[in-house]
């Protein structure tokens, strides 16, 4: 007997309603609040800031056809110059999350093993789970300042490991990993997991503070390293859906390029043209943001010190984000739940730790998205919620 397509889909939806789990983090783009401390971007650029006469002239003559499977050559050259690799090692993607997806799709099969440090950006794990990989989460601890535990990551490696996923600076904590530690991890991978690739998410690398220069990219560290980044966080341009990955291994790069062609064909020529302008004017864009972030971080540090009887604080190395933790001796589990409810009543939001594979006693706080006066008002509401519960 024939079964209708609708009945077939209904049956299989009950068995498996999609490959991806519910994503509470989508509230960040779907549910606005007055005081959003969960957001992790710098202040958003406005399109008018980029539309100089020469840019408008290029847009007027831009043919809206297919681009290349690698991305615009000028854009790749700008990315390469900043990351210390060759233009031929750069693959443009639709945001950093697509770069993660393409790498996982390329190097992992169902049943392969992968290692992810947590807490982490949710899609970093969700993509691997969707591919039916055997994912081992290696928790990094708030108490240890979320520093990379090379021995713990190495202990999770097996010959079946195909991907090790890290972010530096880390999302949600803003903690960066030291180059010697990454080199030690690569050495351990070479022995225990010789077919594994190390994904290094550098999305927040250029979000430095004040006069401090951002650390150099580690994309060139080894042919086993694939780096990814985007314009979303440091540059404040998430609406330009442009990210990239770098791969200095020619065979891996070609496999990634084929994956991009088969899933995207090419990128948006309009987005790539605007991305070129962002990177051409990078210092002009990033400089004021670094000044603002330094002031916001000092405001937050002083606030955390004044409230150290209620919260712990891990000071970030980079990025417009950090982690705080409700103190065990002040808040039981019920009080933690009341804390989030109290924030919602005040039209204020932080990002719960469970979004990132952490306990909800920990929360991510973004200090780059709101203007400084609004940021101060948001901290006042946060303090009020802490007192209320």
């Amino acid at each position: 007997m024939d079964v209708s397509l609708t009945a077939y889909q209904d049956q299989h939806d009950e068995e498996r309603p999609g490959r991806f789990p519910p994503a509470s983090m989508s509230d960040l783009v779907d549910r606005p609040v007055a005081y959003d401390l969960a957001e992790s971007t710098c202040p958003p650029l406005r399109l008018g800031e980029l539309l100089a006469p020469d840019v408008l002239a290029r847009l007027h003559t831009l043919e809206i056809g297919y681009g290349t499977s690698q991305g615009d050559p000028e854009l790749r050259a700008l990315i390469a110059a900043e990351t210390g690799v060759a233009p031929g090692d750069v693959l443009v993607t639709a945001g950093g999350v697509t770069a993660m997806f393409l790498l996982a799709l390329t190097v992992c099969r169902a049943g392969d093993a992968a290692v992810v440090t947590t807490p982490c950006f949710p899609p970093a794990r969700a993509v691997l789970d969707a591919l039916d990989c055997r994912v081992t989460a290696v928790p990094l601890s708030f108490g240890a300042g979320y520093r990379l535990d090379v021995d713990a990551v190495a202990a999770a490696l097996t010959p079946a490991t195909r991907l090790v996923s890290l972010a530096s600076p880390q999302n949600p904590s803003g903690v960066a990993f030291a180059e010697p530690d990454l080199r030690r991890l690569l050495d351990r991978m070479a022995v225990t997991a010789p077919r594994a690739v190390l994904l290094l998410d550098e999305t927040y690398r250029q979000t430095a503070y004040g006069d401090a220069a951002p650390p150099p990219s580690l994309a060139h560290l080894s042919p086993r390293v694939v780096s990814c980044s985007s314009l979303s966080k440091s540059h404040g341009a998430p609406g330009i859906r442009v990210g990239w990955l770098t791969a200095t291994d020619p065979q891996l790069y070609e496999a990634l390029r084929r994956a991009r062609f088969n899933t995207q064909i090419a990128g948006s020529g309009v987005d790539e043209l605007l991305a070129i302008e962002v990177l051409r004017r990078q210092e002009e864009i990033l400089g004021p943001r670094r000044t603002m972030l330094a002031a916001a971080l000092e405001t937050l540090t002083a606030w955390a010190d004044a409230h150290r009887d209620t919260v712990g604080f891990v000071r970030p190395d980079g990025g417009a984000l950090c982690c705080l933790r409700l103190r065990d001796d002040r808040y039981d589990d019920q009080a933690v739940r009341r804390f989030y409810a109290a924030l919602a009543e005040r039209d204020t939001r932080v990002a719960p730790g469970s979004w990132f594979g952490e306990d909800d006693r920990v929360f991510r706080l973004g200090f780059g998205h709101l203007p400084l006066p609004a940021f101060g008002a948001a901290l006042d509401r946060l303090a009020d919620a802490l007192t209320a519960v």
Side-chain angles (χ1 to χ4, degrees):
M1 183 175 70
D2 291 336
V3 178
S4 72
L5 177 60
T6 301
Y8 176 85
Q9 289 174 333
D10 288 346
Q11 174 189 345
H12 286 266
D13 283 347
E14 291 177 4
E15 295 172 2
R16 184 173 186 176
R19 286 187 172 270
F20 294 95
S24 299
M25 196 182 205
S26 64
D27 283 355
L28 285 177
V29 293
D30 295 335
R31 297 180 181 274
V33 296
Y35 295 94
D36 199 347
L37 292 171
E39 187 54 79
S40 61
T41 63
C42 286
L45 281 172
R46 296 185 181 275
L47 187 57
E49 297 177 63
L50 299 178
L51 297 182
D54 63 319
V55 178
L56 282 170
R58 281 183 284 155
L59 282 170
H60 276 298
T61 60
L62 179 67
E63 293 184 356
I64 310 177
Y66 286 116
T68 71
S69 61
Q70 294 172 291
D72 183 276
E74 183 180 358
L75 178 57
R76 288 189 291 119
L78 287 166
I79 295 166
E82 213 283 318
T83 53
V85 300
D89 299 328
V90 176
L91 188 70
V92 178
T93 62
V97 69
T98 304
M100 293 179 178
F101 172 78
L102 292 177
L103 180 61
L105 189 67
T106 298
V107 302
C108 296
R109 303 288 184 273
D112 285 343
V115 177
V116 177
T117 58
T118 60
C120 68
F121 179 51
R125 170 154 190 174
V127 167
L128 293 165
D129 287 335
L131 295 172
D132 291 327
C133 292
R134 293 182 289 113
V135 180
T136 299
V138 177
L140 307 180
S141 76
F142 185 97
Y146 290 122
R147 296 299 167 188
L148 181 61
D149 186 337
V150 175
D151 290 337
V153 176
L157 299 173
T158 74
T161 303
R162 296 292 179 265
L163 182 64
V164 178
S165 180
L166 306 176
S168 180
Q170 183 198 50
N171 183 357
S173 71
V175 172
F177 299 146
E179 180 177 340
D181 287 339
L182 293 174
R183 289 189 180 278
R184 285 203 300 127
L185 177 57
L186 285 165
D187 289 343
R188 303 285 288 273
M189 289 169 60
V191 173
T192 308
R195 296 177 62 189
V197 171
L198 175 63
L199 170 63
L200 185 60
D201 177 0
E202 296 187 317
T203 298
Y204 290 98
R205 180 180 62 83
Q206 291 177 300
T207 315
Y209 311 132
D211 295 330
S217 169
L218 297 179
H220 63 280
L221 203 58
S222 164
R224 298 165 65 84
V225 170
V226 173
S227 77
C228 71
S229 190
S230 77
L231 299 179
S232 296
K233 306 299 184 180
S234 299
H235 302 81
I240 300 176
R241 297 307 300 152
V242 169
W244 57 87
L245 53 76
T246 71
T248 58
D249 180 290
Q251 289 184 318
L252 178 56
Y253 180 91
E254 174 56 19
L256 291 164
R257 186 201 64 79
R258 292 197 305 267
R260 193 217 183 196
F261 175 78
N262 280 282
T263 55
Q264 295 178 251
I265 301 180
S268 161
V270 175
D271 280 5
E272 291 186 2
L273 188 153
L274 293 173
I276 289 169
E277 184 64 12
V278 171
L279 291 179
R280 283 177 54 202
R281 295 169 51 188
Q282 179 165 270
E283 285 309 307
E284 174 189 337
I285 291 168
L286 293 179
R289 283 164 169 73
R290 291 170 183 158
T291 300
M292 186 275 288
L293 285 172
L297 180 56
E298 290 314 307
T299 297
L300 175 60
T301 301
W303 182 94
D305 185 59
H307 294 85
R308 60 184 178 275
D309 59 329
T310 58
V311 295
F313 171 54
V314 173
R315 186 179 172 92
D317 300 313
L321 73 176
C322 65
C323 282
L324 292 95
R325 188 176 190 275
L326 300 177
R327 288 178 57 105
D328 292 338
D329 58 352
R330 287 291 301 271
Y331 302 97
D332 60 19
D333 291 343
Q334 289 185 346
V336 171
R337 289 190 288 272
R338 292 198 303 271
F339 164 70
Y340 289 103
L343 277 180
E345 292 169 359
R346 290 157 177 78
D347 209 10
T348 303
R349 177 167 61 199
V350 296
S354 55
W355 286 6
F356 312 98
E358 176 62 285
D359 189 277
D360 274 345
R361 189 173 293 278
V362 174
F363 58 90
R364 185 182 78 180
L365 187 147
F367 54 88
H369 186 69
L370 293 172
L372 286 173
F375 180 60
L379 290 178
D380 288 342
R381 291 179 178 229
L382 178 59
D384 188 41
L386 288 168
T387 301
V389 300

